[in-house]
Amino acid sequence: MIAEIKHNSKKYKIDLSKPIDISIPIDIQTQNVNAWYLDDPKIFPEQFDEQIISVSEGAAVNFNSIQFNPHSHITHTECVGHITKEVHSINKNLSQFFFFTEVITVAPESKDGDEVISKKQLQLALGNKKRDAIVIRTLPNGENKKGRRYSNTNPPYVSEEAAIYLREKGIKHLLIDLPSLDKEKDNGLLLSHNAFWNTKGEIRLDATITEFIYVPNTVKDGTYFLNLMIAPFENDATPSKPILYVLE
């Protein structure tokens, strides 16, 4: 199925039958991705009157409950409500779901014992391009990212200066393959989250951050059409399924 997209007076085609899924699912059959010091997610059949509600146990249906935290266990998209006293829902603030996006690959730089994505790296990758969204793939990029245990490992993060650059460049939707935009232990400063959402000025309620993506090595850097699909949770964050389409 071929769709034609018109953007800034230019026409593009995308093949809807060839989606590129860059999400990480909850999968309790393997080692699930995990961060922020929580136990693994759980998927289990409910019980009523000592009857396990599972077809394999003789029930008519499967009736599983799921216990998880979107920030810890799955690809998720969050709004500014993640860091504000005021309640803001991603389900209410994200009302558009298709964007022109740029996929870039960066190798975080060593700085004071940390691995950091810098403003200079993003400037070199984006140049003069104007995009609605950016997808950041970090190196190294092994498939073990889909089951990595990040707690107490001080993963790479985005510098505050780099986050300000993305905001000033007009990037509304930032997708990254790390557990957070910020350093794991930063005394609650969350400098890059605050900078990207502009919490000290006019807050960007319609801007989002998506963490825990995985971009396969077969996906080349460049411009794509992004479908940012979310689950309808009235919460600061929700599981999401970002899909890329090659532009023709």
Side-chain angles (χ1 to χ4, degrees):
M1 182 182 296
I2 305 299
E4 186 174 86
I5 309 296
K6 186 177 181 181
H7 181 68
N8 291 339
S9 75
K10 292 185 179 180
K11 291 183 179 181
Y12 304 88
K13 291 182 179 180
I14 60 172
D15 188 342
L16 297 177
S17 70
K18 296 180 179 179
I20 303 169
D21 187 349
I22 58 171
S23 67
I24 297 175
I26 286 177
D27 184 356
I28 63 170
Q29 303 304 318
T30 64
Q31 179 168 291
N32 205 88
V33 71
N34 197 313
W36 310 118
Y37 326 113
L38 295 184
D39 292 335
D40 285 332
K42 297 179 176 64
I43 302 176
F44 56 92
E46 287 292 348
Q47 297 187 46
F48 295 101
D49 298 326
E50 299 184 356
Q51 168 69 52
I52 298 174
I53 311 304
S54 170
V55 174
S56 65
E57 297 292 332
V61 296
N62 294 307
F63 194 63
N64 291 338
S65 288
I66 304 174
Q67 293 180 357
F68 72 100
N69 186 295
H71 297 286
S72 295
H73 298 134
I74 194 171
T75 301
H76 60 277
T77 299
E78 57 196 35
C79 70
V80 71
H82 182 43
I83 60 170
T84 59
K85 290 182 180 179
E86 298 80 11
V87 175
H88 295 289
S89 164
I90 182 65
N91 194 48
K92 285 189 169 66
N93 285 316
L94 182 62
S95 58
Q96 184 178 340
F97 307 96
F98 294 93
F99 311 98
F100 271 74
T101 187
E102 193 73 13
V103 173
I104 68 169
T105 303
V106 297
E109 301 173 340
S110 296
K111 182 179 180 182
D112 301 326
D114 294 337
E115 297 295 316
V116 183
I117 298 171
S118 69
K119 174 183 176 180
K120 183 178 180 181
Q121 288 179 301
L122 298 183
Q123 285 177 315
L124 289 173
L126 286 173
N128 294 323
K129 295 174 181 175
K130 302 290 185 181
R131 298 289 181 265
D132 306 312
I134 184 172
V135 172
I136 301 176
R137 168 175 48 197
T138 60
L139 297 177
N141 191 52
E143 286 204 11
N144 61 345
K145 280 182 179 175
K146 293 188 284 187
R148 186 169 294 172
R149 309 295 186 151
Y150 283 96
S151 297
N152 295 307
T153 65
N154 192 30
Y157 58 93
V158 176
S159 73
E160 180 184 18
E161 187 181 33
I164 292 171
Y165 165 73
L166 292 176
R167 183 190 78 212
E168 293 179 343
K169 194 169 177 62
I171 299 290
K172 284 288 188 72
H173 306 284
L174 195 170
L175 296 82
I176 196 164
D177 60 5
L178 298 171
S180 179
L181 226 58
D182 279 295
K183 185 173 179 173
E184 180 180 16
K185 297 179 180 179
D186 69 348
N187 297 315
L189 295 176
L190 295 166
L191 297 175
S192 295
H193 279 82
N194 278 286
F196 185 74
W197 279 316
N198 199 35
T199 55
K200 293 182 179 179
E202 186 176 347
I203 294 178
R204 302 202 303 161
L205 294 174
D206 59 345
T208 70
I209 296 171
T210 299
E211 295 158 337
F212 271 156
I213 64 170
Y214 176 71
V215 185
N217 290 318
T218 52
V219 177
K220 297 179 180 179
D221 284 6
T223 308
Y224 292 80
F225 198 58
L226 168 69
N227 181 7
L228 184 55
M229 297 187 288
I230 63 169
F233 283 64
E234 296 296 348
N235 190 46
D236 67 282
T238 181
S240 57
K241 189 179 179 73
I243 301 291
L244 299 175
Y245 293 95
V246 175
L247 296 172
E248 299 178 2

